[in-house]
Amino acid sequence: MEEDSDTRPIVSVAAAAARRRCRAPPFSCACPVTVEPVLFLCTFALALQGPLATQYLWERLREDLRYNGTKGGGCGNPAGPADPLQKEVEILTAHWNLYIGLGGFLVGLFVVILLGSWSDRAGRRVVLILPSLGLAVQAAVYLTVMYLKLPVAWFLVGRICSGLTGDFNAILAGCFAYVADTSNTGSRTFRVAVLEACIGLAGMFASIIGGEWQRTQGYINPFWLVLATNLAAALYAYLFVPESMTPQPEAKLFSCQHHRAVYTLFTSGGQGTQRTALWLYTLCFFLVVTVHFGSRDLYVLYELSSPLCWTSQLIGYGSAAQHLSYLSSLLGLRVLQRCLEDSWVAMVALVSNIASLVMFSLANTTALVFAGYGLGFLLMASTPVLRSKLSKLVDPSEQGALFASVACVEGLCSLVASGVFNSLYPATLHVMKGFPFLFGAILLLIPAGIIGGLGCKEQQARTRGTVVN
């Protein structure tokens, strides 16, 4: 017995040392920045890649069909029948974008849930590194297609390769779960908002750089930057991001347990009231992000066409104003949190979003469009509140499964938004050109009512002393 009692501390010390080695990266940093650069770099690469890939598809399909016209008709073109070849190029480009997006989403849907739930046991760092490498493989495939002039179907192969490693949604799940691991309930909403501000900043820089670079040097050089940026994100995560939890050596990647964990999370996790709140906040997140994606898809089309007829320079300014809302929302959230609960901060943000969409639905001058962008200065402050609310409803050991589910919902939002808003715009064009924006504003009344109702219940529960926040 004495020998067992003597060796037990030695074993525990050795095990603790092993866990510390797993948690520590090769280089440590005393600064509070952790996963923010990973999300910034991957978002920058994705935002730079997306428009360039679409333009490259258009150019290749135009060459295949031997169409020598220009991409943009412009407002000054005389009215008349559309060029059938140009219409065919546009249809083929839209179809290939749809195939590529669907292929990546359907493959990534199962992989993201697998990786997110697995990270609850195996640690977060691997879920940051693996998808970054997958995105780099996708960029390498795209470069190969451009150098060798391969059929555009190879773009789908690259997208599926990225989907097999979780794609960008796995990066989102890993980063938000990491922040949930390393923050308390009081600071979590702001930490999540900082991550979303990184998304906005990266998108703004990419939109400024991408178009001009492609115009002067073509497609290949920007895609080399996409490849390098994704590799840099993986390298940064490996070298500088400390593990936020203790990895379990027995954790298996390929196990049905991970998908069951997500199912259990939404069906039997927690108390009945918590499960109901989890579903309701997820519905709010779905509606808010769907409206955001849907309206964003229409901004450029709305600005290009009559009566606005914006030039590419004005469109660039509009894109910059749109992405600045991420920063203004972060600052606004920080200020509002000093005097309001998170639920009411989300309500103020939704009011800002609704006012912006209503203004866009009526805008027929450049001044009104920028007024719409200005009214939306808080529109991105609602999603960090919703992510934070969802995170507080589950156990610390379920954060990866939760944010993997949220990332899948976000991917679904993108598909639903494209289908609904891009179909609604031409269908209502002759009735009210801005109707899709008005439709989005009406949809946002649903999450506003849900968040307000849940916020009142939470406030009443705190008053009665039955809930400790």
Side-chain angles (χ1 to χ4, degrees):
M1 295 296 294
E2 292 180 357
E3 291 178 359
D4 291 340
S5 62
D6 290 338
T7 56
R8 191 176 296 115
I10 298 175
V11 173
S12 62
V13 170
R19 285 196 294 269
R20 284 195 296 271
R21 286 195 296 272
C22 292
R23 291 162 60 89
F27 300 96
S28 60
C29 179
C31 62
V33 175
T34 52
V35 293
E36 289 82 2
V38 177
L39 186 59
F40 178 88
L41 290 170
C42 289
T43 305
F44 176 84
L46 189 69
L48 183 62
Q49 170 185 294
L52 293 177
T54 300
Q55 292 176 64
Y56 181 81
L57 280 172
W58 200 98
E59 292 289 345
R60 283 294 306 276
L61 294 170
R62 180 182 64 81
E63 291 175 5
D64 292 343
L65 293 174
R66 295 182 174 83
Y67 173 62
N68 296 322
T70 58
K71 283 185 278 189
C75 291
N77 284 355
D83 190 326
L85 277 179
Q86 178 179 342
K87 189 173 182 181
E88 188 174 355
V89 171
E90 291 174 352
I91 291 173
L92 283 174
T93 304
H95 284 175
W96 274 112
N97 268 333
L98 178 62
Y99 302 151
I100 292 168
L102 274 176
F105 173 75
L106 293 176
V107 174
L109 178 66
F110 298 98
V111 178
V112 169
I113 293 176
L114 186 73
L115 290 175
S117 183
W118 179 59
S119 72
D120 287 329
R121 296 164 179 80
R124 311 293 184 202
R125 291 180 68 209
V126 66
V127 183
L128 299 175
I129 297 169
L130 190 61
S132 302
L133 294 176
L135 290 168
V137 170
Q138 178 184 345
V141 172
Y142 282 21
L143 279 169
T144 305
V145 172
M146 294 174 186
Y147 273 112
L148 302 180
K149 293 285 186 179
L150 297 177
V152 294
W154 282 94
F155 272 21
L156 179 58
V157 175
R159 190 76 170 82
I160 290 175
C161 289
S162 176
L164 288 171
T165 59
D167 201 49
F168 182 70
N169 286 334
I171 298 288
L172 288 176
C175 288
F176 285 113
Y178 189 98
V179 164
D181 295 337
T182 56
S183 62
N184 55 42
T185 55
S187 63
R188 188 166 303 167
T189 301
F190 183 72
R191 288 288 307 277
V192 170
V194 170
L195 279 181
E196 295 208 355
C198 290
I199 296 175
L201 276 176
M204 182 174 65
F205 287 140
S207 64
I208 293 172
I209 293 171
E212 188 63 25
W213 197 1
Q214 184 274 328
R215 187 181 67 82
T216 57
Q217 296 187 3
Y219 297 98
I220 290 178
N221 285 343
F223 266 92
W224 275 113
L225 179 60
V226 172
L227 175 62
T229 304
N230 285 317
L231 291 175
L235 187 64
Y236 174 88
Y238 173 74
L239 293 178
F240 297 105
V241 177
E243 183 55 73
S244 60
M245 57 192 307
T246 303
Q248 300 175 11
E250 67 278 6
K252 295 180 180 180
L253 174 59
F254 299 105
S255 172
C256 295
Q257 180 184 0
H258 304 311
H259 290 90
R260 281 199 303 269
V262 174
Y263 176 78
T264 303
L265 184 70
F266 285 91
T267 56
S268 58
Q271 301 174 355
T273 54
Q274 287 182 323
R275 187 165 60 249
T276 301
L278 194 68
W279 277 103
L280 288 174
Y281 280 129
T282 303
L283 174 62
C284 292
F285 183 83
F286 174 81
L287 291 173
V288 170
V289 176
T290 297
V291 171
H292 174 64
F293 284 161
S295 57
R296 186 182 65 183
D297 286 347
L298 296 181
Y299 284 145
V300 174
L301 186 60
Y302 191 80
E303 293 159 357
L304 276 173
S305 57
S306 177
L308 295 173
C309 302
W310 277 18
T311 63
S312 58
Q313 185 180 20
L314 272 176
I315 290 174
Y317 292 149
S319 178
Q322 180 189 351
H323 284 99
L324 277 175
S325 65
Y326 285 87
L327 278 182
S328 59
S329 296
L330 174 65
L331 296 175
L333 184 144
R334 190 61 167 173
V335 172
L336 290 173
Q337 278 188 318
R338 297 180 181 276
C339 54
L340 295 174
E341 295 288 339
D342 280 357
S343 295
W344 311 123
V345 173
M347 291 289 288
V348 173
L350 288 173
V351 170
S352 172
N353 200 347
I354 290 170
S356 173
L357 290 170
V358 171
M359 179 63 73
F360 267 103
S361 71
L362 303 173
N364 55 6
T365 65
T366 296
L368 288 178
V369 171
F370 278 104
Y373 282 127
L375 287 172
F377 74 105
L378 284 177
L379 68 90
M380 295 308 302
S382 58
T383 48
V385 171
L386 290 171
R387 292 185 201 268
S388 178
K389 290 281 188 183
L390 289 167
S391 174
K392 294 173 185 177
L393 288 171
V394 302
D395 292 332
S397 62
E398 298 173 318
Q399 298 294 332
L402 170 71
F403 283 108
S405 305
V406 172
C408 290
V409 169
E410 199 163 353
L412 182 62
C413 290
S414 179
L415 293 178
V416 172
S418 289
V420 172
F421 281 79
N422 285 315
S423 300
L424 196 60
Y425 183 77
T428 59
L429 191 59
H430 301 292
V431 180
M432 180 182 180
K433 185 178 179 181
F435 179 78
F437 300 114
L438 186 61
F439 174 73
I442 295 170
L443 274 184
L444 290 180
L445 295 176
I446 299 174
I450 294 173
I451 293 171
L454 290 176
C456 288
K457 286 187 176 181
E458 291 171 3
Q459 192 169 10
Q460 291 171 2
R462 281 194 299 270
T463 302
R464 293 194 303 264
T466 58
V467 173
V468 179
N469 204 1

